[in-house]
Amino acid sequence: MRSSAWLLGIACLAAPAVAEAEEAQKTCSAERQCTPALFEWTPWIAGGVAFGIGERAAAAAGFGLELTSGIVTWKGPPLVADAGWTPLRGDSGYRAELRAGPWVYAETRGREGAVAEGGLTLHVGSTHDYLDKVTELLPAGMFDLRAGGGYGAFPAGRAAHYALALGWGYRVAPDRTTSVDCGAPRPEPRTLLDATVVRLVTTARHAPAIDAWEIALSIEISPTVVFLKQRAGATQLLPED
């Protein structure tokens, strides 16, 4: 009798845990994991205006490309620590991220001609860039700093120049995210992925040889933005429209 009572007591204690596990299994058939790649490349097209010192503004358009790698991650700005939603099981936590790498850019201006330039870019964003949560997680946006130089045409002539640019907007790499079975380990980082950007950029250029200065204001958008919702929906468990 005592043995039966002990067994009955153990069964009663275990029943809630078993029921909870069964319920979790029913409600969690898949989850998403976000893993930055070792290298991520980003193409963009740009349009805006360029202002030469003492010159009238001119329309400008160009095309650029960057390749970045993760340098360091941390908890804190610009990431919101508590964005009002719960991390899905399996994620190691949302972290801000610094990426760095080379960039190249070519631009034509209706006023005097074209410029070509390149250098180093720094990007501050998030390791978790879910399309449906990125603006909630980073309400202040993401930031880019580009520094470098090149050669181009200015009102005073053609010359080598320095360039410094500051960008603000959002960047999403949809293939970072994969849908996996509940409780599955985090996928290994892939070697190369593409990212999509939409950002506002202010660029300052100076050509010392001809003492020319220029400020350019532009919006940069990746051509892949038109496919972003479809690509993200395939891997990020986005709600249906």
Side-chain angles (χ1 to χ4, degrees), residues 141-238:
M142 302 180 181
F143 302 90
D144 296 271
L145 178 64
R146 296 200 297 254
Y151 186 85
F154 298 87
R158 299 177 181 272
H161 68 274
Y162 301 108
L164 184 67
L166 179 64
W168 172 88
Y170 286 96
R171 174 185 184 276
V172 175
D175 290 339
R176 281 183 176 187
T177 304
T178 54
S179 296
V180 299
D181 293 335
C182 283
R186 177 178 295 279
E188 289 295 319
R190 296 165 69 174
T191 302
L192 182 67
L193 293 178
D194 71 286
T196 297
V197 296
V198 177
R199 60 194 175 198
L200 301 174
V201 180
T202 301
T203 303
R205 299 185 178 99
H206 176 51
I210 56 176
D211 195 26
W213 288 87
E214 180 180 270
I215 300 294
L217 305 177
S218 61
I219 180 170
E220 297 180 352
I221 302 177
S222 295
T224 50
V225 72
V226 297
F227 307 111
L228 191 58
K229 183 71 180 289
Q230 295 93 318
R231 292 178 63 191
T235 58
Q236 299 190 25
L237 309 180
L238 288 178

Side-chain angles (χ1 to χ4, degrees), residues 29 33 42 50 56 102 114 120 125 134 150 154 156 160 183 194 207 211 213 222 224 241:
S29 58
Q33 301 277 6
T42 307
R56 62 183 177 84
L120 176 70
V134 66
F154 298 87
D194 71 286
D211 195 26
W213 288 87
S222 295
T224 50
D241 290 332

Side-chain angles (χ1 to χ4, degrees), residues 96-133:
E97 175 188 41
L98 174 66
R99 303 184 65 84
W103 63 276
V104 293
Y105 179 66
E107 179 182 272
T108 181
R109 282 83 55 80
R111 183 181 56 215
E112 65 275 342
V115 297
E117 56 198 20
L120 176 70
T121 184
L122 299 177
H123 170 78
V124 178
S126 172
T127 57
H128 293 67
D129 53 3
Y130 302 133
L131 180 60
D132 59 328
K133 293 293 183 180

